[in-house]
Each structure stands twice: as C-alpha cells, then as structure tokens.
Amino acid sequence: MNLNKLFLTSTLLTAIFVTQSIGQISKVDYEDITGQDLSDKYNVITTAVPFLLIAPDSRAGAMGDVGVATSADVWSMRWNPSKYAFAEKDLSLGISYTPVA
C-alpha cells in the first residue's frame, strides 16, 4: 500500500515539475493577443519602480552600495535600521538629490 502511494506521489510531482506552463513559453505570438504586430519591439518591464534601486546615501553609493557595513547615520533606515541603536547623535538631517536624465 505504501509503495503505491509513493509511486503515485512521485508520478504526480514529476508531471507537475516537468510540464511547461503556457506563461513560461519564450516565443509568444503577440498579434493574437493585441491585434498588432509587436514582433520587432521589446516589451520587457524590468521593475515597477527602478528609482528604488538608487542609493540615497552618497557614502554608501560610492562604496558600491555597502551601506550595511557603514556606521550609523541618517540613512540607516534604508540599509539596516538596527544601526540606530548605535547612533552617537540624537538628531540628524539627510538631503538626497537624484538628477533626472
């Protein structure tokens, strides 16, 4: 009895993981979906809000986005909020500017 359950379970798991989902097909005919020929266009959306990848801290950004390894400062909320326990000052002010290209 246990051997039959094991065989059935392994067969179902193999069927689930081996079959390819329609959403994962690499070549899709967009003309059927949209009614337009979009074969020569790139419709890849890399992220919804790419500006969140820009480091607000100039010191950590210059060091290759290693803000976790720096001492506690005003930008600790972005990298590691637990660094605030080791802050030497009670208040600080940070101003960040990212130019638009």
Side-chain angles (χ1 to χ4, degrees):
M1 188 68 171
N2 282 338
L3 189 59
N4 289 337
K5 287 183 182 180
L6 179 66
F7 178 72
L8 180 63
T9 304
S10 63
T11 305
L12 287 174
L13 287 174
T14 303
I16 289 171
F17 290 116
V18 170
T19 58
Q20 184 178 16
S21 173
I22 293 174
Q24 296 174 349
I25 295 176
S26 60
K27 184 174 170 118
V28 178
D29 188 11
Y30 290 107
E31 193 169 351
D32 292 341
I33 300 170
T34 63
Q36 302 173 13
D37 183 23
L38 300 173
S39 59
D40 60 339
K41 308 242 186 314
Y42 295 109
N43 293 328
V44 177
I45 299 172
T46 56
T47 182
V49 282
F51 63 87
L52 291 178
L53 298 174
I54 300 171
D57 182 9
S58 60
R59 178 177 62 160
M63 293 178 4
D65 289 340
V66 292
V68 174
T70 59
S71 59
D73 59 356
V74 70
W75 303 109
S76 293
M77 184 56 75
R78 159 112 166 129
W79 304 108
N80 186 1
S82 64
K83 291 193 301 182
Y84 283 137
F86 302 103
E88 296 175 3
K89 298 178 182 176
D90 289 337
L91 288 172
S92 60
L93 176 70
I95 299 173
S96 178
Y97 171 74
T98 305
V100 179

